[in-house]
Structure formats: C-alpha cells, structure tokens
Amino acid sequence: QNDFTAGSVLLDGYSKPSGAQQISWWLSGGTHQITAVNQDYGNIWRTYKYWYNVDDGITYPNPKTISAVAFTSHTANFDQWCDISFSNSLPGGSGGTMSVRDTVRNAPGTVRMPKDQQFNITAINQEIARISYTFSQWSDGNTSQSRSLTAAQHATYTANFTSKPLPPANVWVGGTVDDYVHLSWSAHPNQNVT
C-alpha cells in the first residue's frame, strides 16, 4: 500500500490499487516484486521515498523483492509536492513577470515545492509595449499585491491589472517662420492604441 492509502502500486509489473491483497498460495515460497509509482493523487504530486516493512521496521529501496511465505504488509512512503502555477491577466498575450518565492520569473509558469511550505507571491506593476499595467486584484478577489501563502495542494494564482497607454514617444516639433508647425511621434507599438 501507499502511505496515503490510495493511488496505485505495481505488483510484478501490474498496476494494483493501494491496499490490495495478493493471495499467493500457488507460489508459496516464490518471490514477487513490488514497485512504488510516482503519482499525482488528491491534487498533490507524490514522489517515492522508501518502502517500509511493518514486520521488521526496516526501510527498503524501490523496487522491492518480497517472498510469498507468510502474510506481510509493505508501505511505500512518499514526499509530497504542490505545483504552484502563476500568470498575469494581461491583454495581447504578453505574460510579463511575477515574483514567486522571492524570485522574479517569467509568467506564466509553475514552481514545484514541498507540501506545507510557506512562500511569497507578488504581482509586479510593469510596462509592456508602451502600456503601463498596475495591479488591481488576484483572480480570487484578494487585493494584496504581495501575499504569503502555504502550499496545501496544486493551485493557480492569476494577477489582474488595470492598463493605461503611455504618452507618445520620440515627439518632435519643428517648422520655419511663416510655415506650418510640424509635429511627429513614433507610432504606438500596440495597434489598439490610437
């Protein structure tokens, strides 16, 4: 069985539900191979740590060969991980950046961390293609730009922003006396801004 009493294990290469009993009277004295399987179960990623035999209190590597001599119970123990996904809700398909675990990262992205670990996530005000984006709220309604969270299961955090086009760039004004005034600027890189 698995230490989380669910999921699956491999017995002689065949998938079995955790906790299943294998009756091996026809192979008494023979051997079987049990293999723990890394798996995503209950919204948590679980990676194999060690096999534990309740009969002798010893830990074993994976896979483990067992003898079909008497009833025995073997438990696969796992490390638990949470995939924390993050993104910015920015128009135009640009992902921007976000600070996750005190590191600025390109968004969207995912960070895998141990279950129950605390971490910080911060939405970053940013300028992309001459548009200023200012944080407004997270997709769950929280309005704190920086949050301290605990990795309890896989989760996604999306920052929402208000946007404002920046003034024209490379503005030039010129002309000669008694002539028209000439005004020019660089076209805005965002085609939705006129």
Side-chain angles (χ1 to χ4, degrees):
Q1 65 183 2
N2 294 321
D3 63 354
F4 55 98
T5 66
S8 61
V9 298
L10 296 180
L11 175 65
D12 294 331
Y14 294 98
S15 182
K16 301 283 184 179
S18 173
Q21 292 186 10
Q22 178 69 31
I23 307 300
S24 299
W25 56 269
W26 68 90
L27 282 177
S28 183
T31 60
H32 295 282
Q33 189 175 69
I34 53 176
T35 307
V37 180
N38 294 342
Q39 54 200 291
D40 197 343
Y41 188 87
N43 214 15
I44 296 171
W45 179 248
R46 298 162 196 273
T47 57
Y48 167 79
K49 189 164 40 173
Y50 58 81
W51 277 103
Y52 179 74
N53 185 343
V54 296
D55 299 323
D56 58 21
I58 298 174
T59 60
Y60 294 89
N62 194 40
K64 180 179 184 221
T65 300
I66 57 175
S67 297
V69 176
F71 178 83
T72 59
S73 179
H74 307 273
T75 301
N77 288 263
F78 292 82
D79 289 317
Q80 299 179 41
W81 303 87
C82 299
D83 289 341
I84 304 302
S85 299
F86 53 92
S87 64
N88 292 318
S89 179
L90 299 174
S94 176
T97 58
M98 185 179 292
S99 175
V100 182
R101 295 178 74 183
D102 302 319
T103 301
V104 175
R105 304 167 190 272
N106 290 328
T110 301
V111 175
R112 180 167 285 172
M113 63 186 70
K115 183 179 182 296
D116 298 326
Q117 181 175 351
Q118 290 189 330
F119 66 98
N120 294 325
I121 187 167
T122 303
I124 299 174
N125 295 336
Q126 48 206 297
E127 177 189 322
I128 300 172
R130 300 285 300 154
I131 295 182
S132 173
Y133 295 97
T134 304
F135 171 79
S136 59
Q137 67 178 19
W138 296 95
S139 55
D140 62 3
N142 187 299
T143 56
S144 298
Q145 190 167 359
S146 185
R147 303 172 70 176
S148 180
L149 300 161
T150 301
Q153 61 182 10
H154 300 327
T156 299
Y157 298 94
T158 302
N160 295 306
F161 295 82
T162 57
S163 60
K164 178 181 177 182
L166 294 173
N170 303 317
V171 176
W172 178 84
V173 179
T176 58
V177 176
D178 295 327
D179 196 0
Y180 293 106
V181 172
H182 297 278
L183 174 64
S184 66
W185 60 90
S186 296
H188 201 282
N190 187 315
Q191 295 179 355
N192 295 319
V193 177
T194 57

PDB file of all heavy atoms in Angstrom, residues 11-12 14 16 21-32 67-69:
ATOM      1  N   LEU A  11       2.642  -4.565  -8.828  1.00  0.00           N
ATOM      2  CA  LEU A  11       2.982  -5.889  -8.311  1.00  0.00           C
ATOM      3  C   LEU A  11       3.346  -6.749  -9.511  1.00  0.00           C
ATOM      4  O   LEU A  11       2.514  -6.972 -10.391  1.00  0.00           O
ATOM      5  CB  LEU A  11       1.802  -6.507  -7.550  1.00  0.00           C
ATOM      6  CG  LEU A  11       2.015  -7.945  -7.066  1.00  0.00           C
ATOM      7  CD1 LEU A  11       3.141  -8.007  -6.025  1.00  0.00           C
ATOM      8  CD2 LEU A  11       0.738  -8.517  -6.495  1.00  0.00           C
ATOM      9  N   ASP A  12       4.606  -7.160  -9.559  1.00  0.00           N
ATOM     10  CA  ASP A  12       5.119  -7.929 -10.692  1.00  0.00           C
ATOM     11  C   ASP A  12       4.819  -7.230 -12.023  1.00  0.00           C
ATOM     12  O   ASP A  12       4.478  -7.863 -13.024  1.00  0.00           O
ATOM     13  CB  ASP A  12       4.535  -9.347 -10.693  1.00  0.00           C
ATOM     14  CG  ASP A  12       5.003 -10.157  -9.487  1.00  0.00           C
ATOM     15  OD1 ASP A  12       6.123  -9.886  -8.997  1.00  0.00           O
ATOM     16  OD2 ASP A  12       4.253 -11.042  -9.034  1.00  0.00           O
ATOM     17  N   TYR A  14       2.311  -5.236 -12.739  1.00  0.00           N
ATOM     18  CA  TYR A  14       0.898  -4.953 -12.982  1.00  0.00           C
ATOM     19  C   TYR A  14       0.387  -3.940 -11.958  1.00  0.00           C
ATOM     20  O   TYR A  14       0.670  -4.055 -10.758  1.00  0.00           O
ATOM     21  CB  TYR A  14       0.058  -6.232 -12.902  1.00  0.00           C
ATOM     22  CG  TYR A  14       0.382  -7.216 -13.996  1.00  0.00           C
ATOM     23  CD1 TYR A  14       1.253  -8.281 -13.761  1.00  0.00           C
ATOM     24  CD2 TYR A  14      -0.170  -7.076 -15.264  1.00  0.00           C
ATOM     25  CE1 TYR A  14       1.569  -9.187 -14.762  1.00  0.00           C
ATOM     26  CE2 TYR A  14       0.137  -7.983 -16.271  1.00  0.00           C
ATOM     27  CZ  TYR A  14       1.006  -9.028 -16.016  1.00  0.00           C
ATOM     28  OH  TYR A  14       1.316  -9.902 -17.008  1.00  0.00           O
ATOM     29  N   LYS A  16      -1.881  -2.245  -9.347  1.00  0.00           N
ATOM     30  CA  LYS A  16      -2.856  -2.692  -8.357  1.00  0.00           C
ATOM     31  C   LYS A  16      -3.243  -1.492  -7.502  1.00  0.00           C
ATOM     32  O   LYS A  16      -2.428  -0.610  -7.249  1.00  0.00           O
ATOM     33  CB  LYS A  16      -2.254  -3.767  -7.429  1.00  0.00           C
ATOM     34  CG  LYS A  16      -1.758  -5.006  -8.146  1.00  0.00           C
ATOM     35  CD  LYS A  16      -2.902  -5.891  -8.542  1.00  0.00           C
ATOM     36  CE  LYS A  16      -2.395  -7.193  -9.172  1.00  0.00           C
ATOM     37  NZ  LYS A  16      -3.486  -8.084  -9.537  1.00  0.00           N
ATOM     38  N   GLN A  21      -4.724  -6.895  -1.506  1.00  0.00           N
ATOM     39  CA  GLN A  21      -4.043  -8.083  -1.006  1.00  0.00           C
ATOM     40  C   GLN A  21      -3.851  -9.050  -2.163  1.00  0.00           C
ATOM     41  O   GLN A  21      -4.747  -9.244  -2.980  1.00  0.00           O
ATOM     42  CB  GLN A  21      -4.860  -8.754   0.099  1.00  0.00           C
ATOM     43  CG  GLN A  21      -4.941  -7.915   1.359  1.00  0.00           C
ATOM     44  CD  GLN A  21      -5.638  -8.665   2.487  1.00  0.00           C
ATOM     45  OE1 GLN A  21      -5.895  -9.867   2.394  1.00  0.00           O
ATOM     46  NE2 GLN A  21      -5.933  -7.951   3.547  1.00  0.00           N
ATOM     47  N   GLN A  22      -2.663  -9.626  -2.228  1.00  0.00           N
ATOM     48  CA  GLN A  22      -2.364 -10.599  -3.273  1.00  0.00           C
ATOM     49  C   GLN A  22      -2.282 -11.976  -2.624  1.00  0.00           C
ATOM     50  O   GLN A  22      -1.433 -12.205  -1.767  1.00  0.00           O
ATOM     51  CB  GLN A  22      -1.039 -10.245  -3.962  1.00  0.00           C
ATOM     52  CG  GLN A  22      -0.609 -11.220  -5.024  1.00  0.00           C
ATOM     53  CD  GLN A  22      -1.516 -11.162  -6.253  1.00  0.00           C
ATOM     54  OE1 GLN A  22      -2.053 -10.118  -6.572  1.00  0.00           O
ATOM     55  NE2 GLN A  22      -1.692 -12.290  -6.918  1.00  0.00           N
ATOM     56  N   ILE A  23      -3.185 -12.869  -3.007  1.00  0.00           N
ATOM     57  CA  ILE A  23      -3.146 -14.237  -2.479  1.00  0.00           C
ATOM     58  C   ILE A  23      -2.181 -15.048  -3.342  1.00  0.00           C
ATOM     59  O   ILE A  23      -2.365 -15.176  -4.544  1.00  0.00           O
ATOM     60  CB  ILE A  23      -4.545 -14.887  -2.510  1.00  0.00           C
ATOM     61  CG1 ILE A  23      -5.570 -13.978  -1.811  1.00  0.00           C
ATOM     62  CG2 ILE A  23      -4.513 -16.270  -1.878  1.00  0.00           C
ATOM     63  CD1 ILE A  23      -5.268 -13.705  -0.369  1.00  0.00           C
ATOM     64  N   SER A  24      -1.126 -15.567  -2.704  1.00  0.00           N
ATOM     65  CA  SER A  24      -0.071 -16.237  -3.472  1.00  0.00           C
ATOM     66  C   SER A  24       0.141 -17.676  -3.038  1.00  0.00           C
ATOM     67  O   SER A  24       1.248 -18.183  -3.044  1.00  0.00           O
ATOM     68  CB  SER A  24       1.245 -15.445  -3.316  1.00  0.00           C
ATOM     69  OG  SER A  24       1.102 -14.136  -3.805  1.00  0.00           O
ATOM     70  N   TRP A  25      -0.934 -18.369  -2.673  1.00  0.00           N
ATOM     71  CA  TRP A  25      -0.749 -19.744  -2.191  1.00  0.00           C
ATOM     72  C   TRP A  25      -0.147 -20.636  -3.264  1.00  0.00           C
ATOM     73  O   TRP A  25       0.578 -21.572  -2.983  1.00  0.00           O
ATOM     74  CB  TRP A  25      -2.074 -20.324  -1.700  1.00  0.00           C
ATOM     75  CG  TRP A  25      -3.178 -20.296  -2.725  1.00  0.00           C
ATOM     76  CD1 TRP A  25      -4.085 -19.304  -2.907  1.00  0.00           C
ATOM     77  CD2 TRP A  25      -3.453 -21.281  -3.703  1.00  0.00           C
ATOM     78  NE1 TRP A  25      -4.930 -19.597  -3.931  1.00  0.00           N
ATOM     79  CE2 TRP A  25      -4.564 -20.817  -4.447  1.00  0.00           C
ATOM     80  CE3 TRP A  25      -2.888 -22.514  -4.045  1.00  0.00           C
ATOM     81  CZ2 TRP A  25      -5.115 -21.538  -5.505  1.00  0.00           C
ATOM     82  CZ3 TRP A  25      -3.440 -23.233  -5.078  1.00  0.00           C
ATOM     83  CH2 TRP A  25      -4.546 -22.743  -5.804  1.00  0.00           C
ATOM     84  N   TRP A  26      -0.441 -20.321  -4.544  1.00  0.00           N
ATOM     85  CA  TRP A  26       0.097 -21.182  -5.607  1.00  0.00           C
ATOM     86  C   TRP A  26       1.575 -20.914  -5.871  1.00  0.00           C
ATOM     87  O   TRP A  26       2.217 -21.647  -6.588  1.00  0.00           O
ATOM     88  CB  TRP A  26      -0.704 -20.988  -6.897  1.00  0.00           C
ATOM     89  CG  TRP A  26      -0.524 -19.626  -7.520  1.00  0.00           C
ATOM     90  CD1 TRP A  26       0.400 -19.247  -8.429  1.00  0.00           C
ATOM     91  CD2 TRP A  26      -1.283 -18.456  -7.250  1.00  0.00           C
ATOM     92  NE1 TRP A  26       0.284 -17.927  -8.741  1.00  0.00           N
ATOM     93  CE2 TRP A  26      -0.758 -17.414  -8.040  1.00  0.00           C
ATOM     94  CE3 TRP A  26      -2.370 -18.174  -6.405  1.00  0.00           C
ATOM     95  CZ2 TRP A  26      -1.281 -16.115  -8.005  1.00  0.00           C
ATOM     96  CZ3 TRP A  26      -2.879 -16.894  -6.391  1.00  0.00           C
ATOM     97  CH2 TRP A  26      -2.343 -15.887  -7.181  1.00  0.00           C
ATOM     98  N   LEU A  27       2.107 -19.820  -5.265  1.00  0.00           N
ATOM     99  CA  LEU A  27       3.526 -19.506  -5.434  1.00  0.00           C
ATOM    100  C   LEU A  27       4.219 -19.470  -4.077  1.00  0.00           C
ATOM    101  O   LEU A  27       5.180 -18.743  -3.900  1.00  0.00           O
ATOM    102  CB  LEU A  27       3.690 -18.150  -6.124  1.00  0.00           C
ATOM    103  CG  LEU A  27       3.470 -18.108  -7.641  1.00  0.00           C
ATOM    104  CD1 LEU A  27       3.594 -16.685  -8.155  1.00  0.00           C
ATOM    105  CD2 LEU A  27       4.462 -18.998  -8.349  1.00  0.00           C
ATOM    106  N   SER A  28       3.702 -20.227  -3.122  1.00  0.00           N
ATOM    107  CA  SER A  28       4.286 -20.204  -1.789  1.00  0.00           C
ATOM    108  C   SER A  28       5.785 -20.473  -1.868  1.00  0.00           C
ATOM    109  O   SER A  28       6.221 -21.444  -2.472  1.00  0.00           O
ATOM    110  CB  SER A  28       3.620 -21.251  -0.898  1.00  0.00           C
ATOM    111  OG  SER A  28       4.142 -21.178   0.400  1.00  0.00           O
ATOM    112  N   GLY A  29       6.533 -19.593  -1.284  1.00  0.00           N
ATOM    113  CA  GLY A  29       7.986 -19.704  -1.331  1.00  0.00           C
ATOM    114  C   GLY A  29       8.587 -18.977  -2.516  1.00  0.00           C
ATOM    115  O   GLY A  29       9.785 -18.777  -2.580  1.00  0.00           O
ATOM    116  N   GLY A  30       7.745 -18.546  -3.461  1.00  0.00           N
ATOM    117  CA  GLY A  30       8.236 -17.785  -4.609  1.00  0.00           C
ATOM    118  C   GLY A  30       8.417 -16.310  -4.239  1.00  0.00           C
ATOM    119  O   GLY A  30       8.219 -15.909  -3.095  1.00  0.00           O
ATOM    120  N   THR A  31       8.822 -15.530  -5.197  1.00  0.00           N
ATOM    121  CA  THR A  31       9.032 -14.104  -4.915  1.00  0.00           C
ATOM    122  C   THR A  31       8.164 -13.240  -5.831  1.00  0.00           C
ATOM    123  O   THR A  31       7.734 -13.672  -6.902  1.00  0.00           O
ATOM    124  CB  THR A  31      10.508 -13.712  -5.120  1.00  0.00           C
ATOM    125  OG1 THR A  31      10.879 -13.969  -6.473  1.00  0.00           O
ATOM    126  CG2 THR A  31      11.416 -14.471  -4.163  1.00  0.00           C
ATOM    127  N   HIS A  32       7.922 -12.048  -5.363  1.00  0.00           N
ATOM    128  CA  HIS A  32       7.197 -11.027  -6.115  1.00  0.00           C
ATOM    129  C   HIS A  32       8.004  -9.735  -6.054  1.00  0.00           C
ATOM    130  O   HIS A  32       8.810  -9.538  -5.131  1.00  0.00           O
ATOM    131  CB  HIS A  32       5.807 -10.762  -5.518  1.00  0.00           C
ATOM    132  CG  HIS A  32       4.879 -11.928  -5.603  1.00  0.00           C
ATOM    133  ND1 HIS A  32       4.229 -12.263  -6.753  1.00  0.00           N
ATOM    134  CD2 HIS A  32       4.487 -12.836  -4.671  1.00  0.00           C
ATOM    135  CE1 HIS A  32       3.462 -13.325  -6.533  1.00  0.00           C
ATOM    136  NE2 HIS A  32       3.622 -13.699  -5.276  1.00  0.00           N
ATOM    137  N   SER A  67       9.158 -12.242  -0.534  1.00  0.00           N
ATOM    138  CA  SER A  67       8.920 -13.684  -0.623  1.00  0.00           C
ATOM    139  C   SER A  67       7.494 -13.981  -0.201  1.00  0.00           C
ATOM    140  O   SER A  67       6.986 -13.408   0.771  1.00  0.00           O
ATOM    141  CB  SER A  67       9.888 -14.445   0.290  1.00  0.00           C
ATOM    142  OG  SER A  67      11.213 -14.246  -0.145  1.00  0.00           O
ATOM    143  N   ALA A  68       6.852 -14.857  -0.930  1.00  0.00           N
ATOM    144  CA  ALA A  68       5.483 -15.268  -0.612  1.00  0.00           C
ATOM    145  C   ALA A  68       5.536 -16.440   0.356  1.00  0.00           C
ATOM    146  O   ALA A  68       5.337 -17.590  -0.018  1.00  0.00           O
ATOM    147  CB  ALA A  68       4.739 -15.638  -1.883  1.00  0.00           C
ATOM    148  N   VAL A  69       5.866 -16.166   1.612  1.00  0.00           N
ATOM    149  CA  VAL A  69       5.985 -17.208   2.628  1.00  0.00           C
ATOM    150  C   VAL A  69       4.875 -17.064   3.659  1.00  0.00           C
ATOM    151  O   VAL A  69       4.228 -18.015   4.047  1.00  0.00           O
ATOM    152  CB  VAL A  69       7.365 -17.150   3.325  1.00  0.00           C
ATOM    153  CG1 VAL A  69       7.448 -18.179   4.441  1.00  0.00           C
ATOM    154  CG2 VAL A  69       8.468 -17.360   2.310  1.00  0.00           C
TER     155      VAL A  69
END
